[in-house]
Amino acid sequence: MFLSDMLNKKLNLPKPAEALPGRADPIPTASRHFVSKRPLNGPYPEGLEKAMFGLGCFWGAERLFWQVQGVWVTAVGYAGGVTPNPTYQETCTGLTGHAEVVLVVYDPEIVSYAQLLKLFWESHDPTQGMRQGNDVGTTYRSTIYTFGDAQYQAAIASRDAYEASLRGAGRGKITTEIAPAPAFYFAEEDHQQYLAKNPYGYCNLQGTGVACAVPAAVSA
């Protein structure tokens, strides 16, 4: 019963009354990006935009995006849940409701939001619900948290187009959560740019092998 109860908690988002209480103050984290040395929490140069994606374990997901030309800085953290300022250990219980996510700060003059969406869709399996491969739980769910209506509409359009491609390849329905960006809580320093510090560290990212043709109308 205990094992079954814990599994259910990890596969179902907690109700507010069930969530861990968290804390009022942010947890300590890095001040600068380990690779680029740029400030994680700003100030960001004028004209840059933000995006937020969850595609399983955030270690490998973050590395995908910091390697993209036009991405100014990335950071990993927790979003989409109930518990304020959670720790990694707390999110792993499934009782905070948060997903592991990557905050991407990018220059839209160099890389478009549509290009980031394409990378997002092709780099994981968005049909798996509360898991990504062997990583099981609500923290590993697929998410797109959007900044503004243009991003939201672009995310929806890209999802619908990619779902059609996936179904044509015999895949299931996309389960990705798409919603306006909630509060983003920076993860602890050791999780920031983890695979730059630990080049042989764990990365479970695996796409479906199905290409994503982002609709021409998605130009955000």
Side-chain angles (χ1 to χ4, degrees):
M1 289 293 292
F2 175 75
L3 181 60
S4 174
D5 185 53
M6 288 300 294
L7 185 60
N8 285 335
K9 286 180 179 177
K10 285 194 171 188
L11 295 179
N12 294 283
L13 292 171
K15 298 175 182 177
E18 300 170 334
L20 297 176
R23 55 203 47 81
D25 297 323
I27 61 174
T29 190
S31 60
R32 293 190 173 272
H33 196 279
F34 184 78
V35 179
S36 69
K37 310 307 179 187
R38 291 168 175 164
L40 286 190
N41 195 19
Y44 307 128
E46 187 176 350
L48 300 190
E49 297 181 5
K50 294 190 291 185
M52 196 186 301
F53 303 104
L55 51 159
C57 176
F58 53 18
W59 293 343
E62 185 186 19
R63 182 171 62 182
L64 277 178
F65 290 102
W66 86 54
Q67 294 176 336
V68 174
Q69 185 177 7
V71 169
W72 196 80
V73 77
T74 58
V76 294
Y78 317 111
V82 179
T83 302
N85 299 298
T87 66
Y88 180 75
Q89 288 75 19
E90 288 170 343
T91 63
C92 287
T93 67
L95 293 175
T96 73
H98 294 292
E100 292 190 7
V101 298
V102 182
L103 177 67
V104 180
V105 181
Y106 67 100
D107 185 342
E109 296 295 322
I110 300 174
V111 61
S112 69
Y113 187 61
Q115 289 172 300
L116 298 179
L117 285 170
K118 179 177 173 65
L119 179 63
F120 165 81
W121 291 120
E122 293 181 348
S123 298
H124 75 304
D125 184 347
T127 69
Q128 295 192 339
M130 298 299 185
R131 66 182 299 161
Q132 196 60 213
N134 293 327
D135 293 331
V136 179
T138 56
T139 55
Y140 302 113
R141 67 188 187 269
S142 175
T143 67
I144 303 174
Y145 293 132
T146 59
F147 295 86
D149 188 63
Q151 281 194 6
Y152 182 80
Q153 296 302 329
I156 294 292
S158 68
R159 178 202 63 192
D160 293 347
Y162 195 46
E163 187 166 81
S165 297
L166 288 173
R167 285 182 170 175
R171 297 275 180 166
K173 183 179 178 63
I174 285 177
T175 60
T176 302
E177 174 189 358
I178 301 176
F184 172 80
Y185 300 105
F186 285 88
E188 295 86 337
E189 181 171 7
D190 55 332
H191 293 292
Q192 303 296 340
Q193 301 82 61
Y194 180 87
L195 291 182
K197 304 168 187 172
N198 303 276
Y200 301 104
Y202 173 80
C203 177
N204 191 39
L205 274 182
Q206 187 172 356
T208 62
V210 178
C212 176
V214 176
V218 178
S219 58

